[in-house]
Amino acid sequence: MHNLRELKIWNKAIDLAVDVYKATSNFPNDERFGLTSQLRRAAVSIPSNIAEGAGRNSNKEFCNFLGIANGSSYEVQTQLVISNKLSLLNTDLLNGLLQQIEELQKMNYAFQQMLNKPSQI
């Protein structure tokens, strides 16, 4: 098991989720059960799956949950682009969030690679 609070990837995923909540706070009320809900749930799914994986008994299980978290990051990415194309999200905010997601995806990939390396012990 991993110390969750010390995992940089988990902390960055938490920051992304908070930023997605802030970005969607001004979406119209008629989107409350549409894009707002979808975006928020997918964004929260990222750190949640990292946390669940960190609590598992093997690196293989952890990697599986990191894969799920990565899938959620692509879901958030897609929904943010759609939000921008619908003029619900300005381009500057979109670009900042997409940058966070890209960094998180790279970290996720590198972390999975590290977890899959055979132990040197």
Tab-separated table of all heavy atoms in Angstrom, residues 27 33 38 41 48-50 57 60-61 63 65 67 76 79 96-97 100 106 108 110-111 115:
chain	number	residue	atom	x	y	z
A	27	PHE	N	-21.632	27.260	-15.326
A	27	PHE	CA	-22.406	26.656	-16.407
A	27	PHE	C	-23.892	26.923	-16.141
A	27	PHE	O	-24.320	27.027	-14.993
A	27	PHE	CB	-22.163	25.145	-16.466
A	27	PHE	CG	-20.895	24.733	-17.172
A	27	PHE	CD1	-19.827	25.610	-17.352
A	27	PHE	CD2	-20.745	23.445	-17.646
A	27	PHE	CE1	-18.653	25.211	-17.997
A	27	PHE	CE2	-19.584	23.037	-18.290
A	27	PHE	CZ	-18.540	23.925	-18.470
A	33	PHE	N	-27.610	18.664	-14.987
A	33	PHE	CA	-27.665	17.204	-15.087
A	33	PHE	C	-27.016	16.707	-16.375
A	33	PHE	O	-27.057	15.524	-16.682
A	33	PHE	CB	-29.110	16.720	-14.994
A	33	PHE	CG	-29.764	17.107	-13.710
A	33	PHE	CD1	-30.777	18.055	-13.688
A	33	PHE	CD2	-29.336	16.567	-12.502
A	33	PHE	CE1	-31.374	18.426	-12.497
A	33	PHE	CE2	-29.921	16.935	-11.301
A	33	PHE	CZ	-30.943	17.873	-11.299
A	38	GLN	N	-21.573	15.406	-15.595
A	38	GLN	CA	-20.638	14.475	-16.239
A	38	GLN	C	-19.187	14.864	-15.978
A	38	GLN	O	-18.361	14.027	-15.632
A	38	GLN	CB	-20.877	14.449	-17.753
A	38	GLN	CG	-22.037	13.596	-18.188
A	38	GLN	CD	-21.751	12.124	-18.010
A	38	GLN	OE1	-22.362	11.489	-17.170
A	38	GLN	NE2	-20.845	11.582	-18.778
A	41	ARG	N	-18.239	14.399	-12.192
A	41	ARG	CA	-18.092	12.984	-11.811
A	41	ARG	C	-16.834	12.377	-12.411
A	41	ARG	O	-16.102	11.646	-11.745
A	41	ARG	CB	-19.329	12.179	-12.216
A	41	ARG	CG	-20.499	12.413	-11.282
A	41	ARG	CD	-21.709	11.530	-11.558
A	41	ARG	NE	-22.313	11.884	-12.835
A	41	ARG	CZ	-22.440	11.055	-13.861
A	41	ARG	NH1	-22.025	9.813	-13.788
A	41	ARG	NH2	-22.997	11.443	-14.978
A	48	SER	N	-10.069	9.510	-7.227
A	48	SER	CA	-10.715	8.408	-6.509
A	48	SER	C	-10.145	7.059	-6.933
A	48	SER	O	-9.891	6.190	-6.086
A	48	SER	CB	-12.227	8.426	-6.753
A	48	SER	OG	-12.792	9.610	-6.238
A	49	ASN	N	-9.930	6.877	-8.229
A	49	ASN	CA	-9.352	5.618	-8.707
A	49	ASN	C	-7.886	5.492	-8.335
A	49	ASN	O	-7.412	4.399	-8.029
A	49	ASN	CB	-9.562	5.462	-10.213
A	49	ASN	CG	-10.922	4.893	-10.512
A	49	ASN	OD1	-11.196	3.746	-10.207
A	49	ASN	ND2	-11.795	5.725	-11.063
A	50	ILE	N	-7.164	6.597	-8.321
A	50	ILE	CA	-5.776	6.562	-7.858
A	50	ILE	C	-5.750	6.133	-6.395
A	50	ILE	O	-4.947	5.285	-5.995
A	50	ILE	CB	-5.088	7.927	-8.057
A	50	ILE	CG1	-4.949	8.231	-9.562
A	50	ILE	CG2	-3.726	7.957	-7.366
A	50	ILE	CD1	-4.557	9.661	-9.881
A	57	ASN	N	-3.462	-4.408	-2.863
A	57	ASN	CA	-2.368	-5.237	-2.340
A	57	ASN	C	-1.217	-5.485	-3.297
A	57	ASN	O	-0.216	-6.058	-2.901
A	57	ASN	CB	-2.932	-6.582	-1.874
A	57	ASN	CG	-3.880	-6.403	-0.713
A	57	ASN	OD1	-3.664	-5.577	0.163
A	57	ASN	ND2	-4.965	-7.168	-0.719
A	60	LYS	N	0.149	-4.607	-9.615
A	60	LYS	CA	-0.690	-4.938	-10.764
A	60	LYS	C	-2.094	-4.365	-10.582
A	60	LYS	O	-2.663	-3.773	-11.508
A	60	LYS	CB	-0.750	-6.451	-10.962
A	60	LYS	CG	-1.549	-6.874	-12.173
A	60	LYS	CD	-1.551	-8.372	-12.358
A	60	LYS	CE	-2.403	-8.737	-13.568
A	60	LYS	NZ	-2.481	-10.167	-13.766
A	61	GLU	N	-2.646	-4.524	-9.378
A	61	GLU	CA	-3.969	-3.962	-9.098
A	61	GLU	C	-3.928	-2.437	-9.162
A	61	GLU	O	-4.846	-1.803	-9.693
A	61	GLU	CB	-4.452	-4.391	-7.716
A	61	GLU	CG	-4.881	-5.832	-7.624
A	61	GLU	CD	-5.324	-6.179	-6.218
A	61	GLU	OE1	-4.469	-6.220	-5.307
A	61	GLU	OE2	-6.541	-6.381	-6.035
A	63	CYS	N	-1.940	-0.571	-10.943
A	63	CYS	CA	-1.860	-0.174	-12.350
A	63	CYS	C	-3.226	-0.235	-13.029
A	63	CYS	O	-3.546	0.614	-13.871
A	63	CYS	CB	-0.860	-1.047	-13.100
A	63	CYS	SG	0.845	-0.561	-12.800
A	65	PHE	N	-6.117	0.364	-11.651
A	65	PHE	CA	-6.873	1.549	-11.242
A	65	PHE	C	-6.279	2.825	-11.847
A	65	PHE	O	-7.022	3.768	-12.143
A	65	PHE	CB	-6.968	1.637	-9.714
A	65	PHE	CG	-8.024	0.727	-9.174
A	65	PHE	CD1	-7.699	-0.548	-8.739
A	65	PHE	CD2	-9.355	1.119	-9.121
A	65	PHE	CE1	-8.672	-1.407	-8.255
A	65	PHE	CE2	-10.328	0.267	-8.644
A	65	PHE	CZ	-9.988	-1.002	-8.206
A	67	GLY	N	-5.059	2.903	-14.795
A	67	GLY	CA	-5.610	2.855	-16.147
A	67	GLY	C	-7.028	3.407	-16.193
A	67	GLY	O	-7.400	4.141	-17.121
A	76	VAL	N	-12.730	13.621	-19.254
A	76	VAL	CA	-12.772	15.033	-18.847
A	76	VAL	C	-12.263	15.911	-19.987
A	76	VAL	O	-12.861	16.947	-20.303
A	76	VAL	CB	-11.955	15.274	-17.554
A	76	VAL	CG1	-11.819	16.753	-17.258
A	76	VAL	CG2	-12.595	14.560	-16.378
A	79	GLN	N	-14.954	16.260	-22.645
A	79	GLN	CA	-16.094	17.056	-22.196
A	79	GLN	C	-15.738	18.539	-22.061
A	79	GLN	O	-16.578	19.412	-22.307
A	79	GLN	CB	-16.635	16.496	-20.882
A	79	GLN	CG	-17.244	15.126	-21.079
A	79	GLN	CD	-17.464	14.375	-19.791
A	79	GLN	OE1	-17.147	14.835	-18.708
A	79	GLN	NE2	-18.006	13.173	-19.913
A	96	GLY	N	-5.779	25.935	-19.886
A	96	GLY	CA	-5.159	25.668	-18.585
A	96	GLY	C	-5.538	24.299	-18.047
A	96	GLY	O	-4.684	23.555	-17.542
A	97	LEU	N	-6.803	23.957	-18.175
A	97	LEU	CA	-7.263	22.649	-17.701
A	97	LEU	C	-6.688	21.521	-18.556
A	97	LEU	O	-6.283	20.484	-18.030
A	97	LEU	CB	-8.796	22.596	-17.698
A	97	LEU	CG	-9.475	23.477	-16.653
A	97	LEU	CD1	-10.965	23.611	-16.938
A	97	LEU	CD2	-9.241	22.935	-15.249
A	100	GLN	N	-3.199	20.808	-17.447
A	100	GLN	CA	-3.187	20.007	-16.224
A	100	GLN	C	-3.435	18.533	-16.545
A	100	GLN	O	-2.775	17.648	-16.007
A	100	GLN	CB	-4.273	20.479	-15.250
A	100	GLN	CG	-3.956	21.723	-14.486
A	100	GLN	CD	-5.112	22.070	-13.561
A	100	GLN	OE1	-5.992	22.842	-13.926
A	100	GLN	NE2	-5.117	21.502	-12.374
A	106	LYS	N	0.728	12.154	-18.445
A	106	LYS	CA	2.148	11.789	-18.540
A	106	LYS	C	2.644	11.188	-17.224
A	106	LYS	O	3.383	10.201	-17.217
A	106	LYS	CB	2.986	13.008	-18.912
A	106	LYS	CG	2.812	13.445	-20.349
A	106	LYS	CD	3.597	14.716	-20.649
A	106	LYS	CE	3.388	15.160	-22.076
A	106	LYS	NZ	4.069	16.434	-22.360
A	108	ASN	N	0.830	9.677	-15.015
A	108	ASN	CA	0.167	8.385	-14.872
A	108	ASN	C	0.932	7.316	-15.644
A	108	ASN	O	1.224	6.239	-15.118
A	108	ASN	CB	-1.283	8.498	-15.355
A	108	ASN	CG	-2.112	7.279	-15.034
A	108	ASN	OD1	-1.638	6.153	-15.077
A	108	ASN	ND2	-3.372	7.513	-14.735
A	110	ALA	N	4.079	7.337	-16.641
A	110	ALA	CA	5.394	7.110	-16.028
A	110	ALA	C	5.264	6.308	-14.739
A	110	ALA	O	6.082	5.421	-14.456
A	110	ALA	CB	6.081	8.448	-15.752
A	111	PHE	N	4.229	6.591	-13.959
A	111	PHE	CA	4.017	5.878	-12.704
A	111	PHE	C	3.688	4.415	-12.968
A	111	PHE	O	4.204	3.513	-12.295
A	111	PHE	CB	2.918	6.568	-11.900
A	111	PHE	CG	2.832	6.157	-10.464
A	111	PHE	CD1	3.966	5.883	-9.702
A	111	PHE	CD2	1.605	6.063	-9.831
A	111	PHE	CE1	3.884	5.517	-8.381
A	111	PHE	CE2	1.510	5.700	-8.504
A	111	PHE	CZ	2.645	5.424	-7.772
A	115	LEU	N	5.784	1.160	-11.681
A	115	LEU	CA	5.153	0.097	-10.908
A	115	LEU	C	5.330	-1.271	-11.581
A	115	LEU	O	5.359	-2.298	-10.907
A	115	LEU	CB	3.665	0.383	-10.699
A	115	LEU	CG	3.326	1.505	-9.727
A	115	LEU	CD1	1.813	1.767	-9.762
A	115	LEU	CD2	3.780	1.194	-8.319
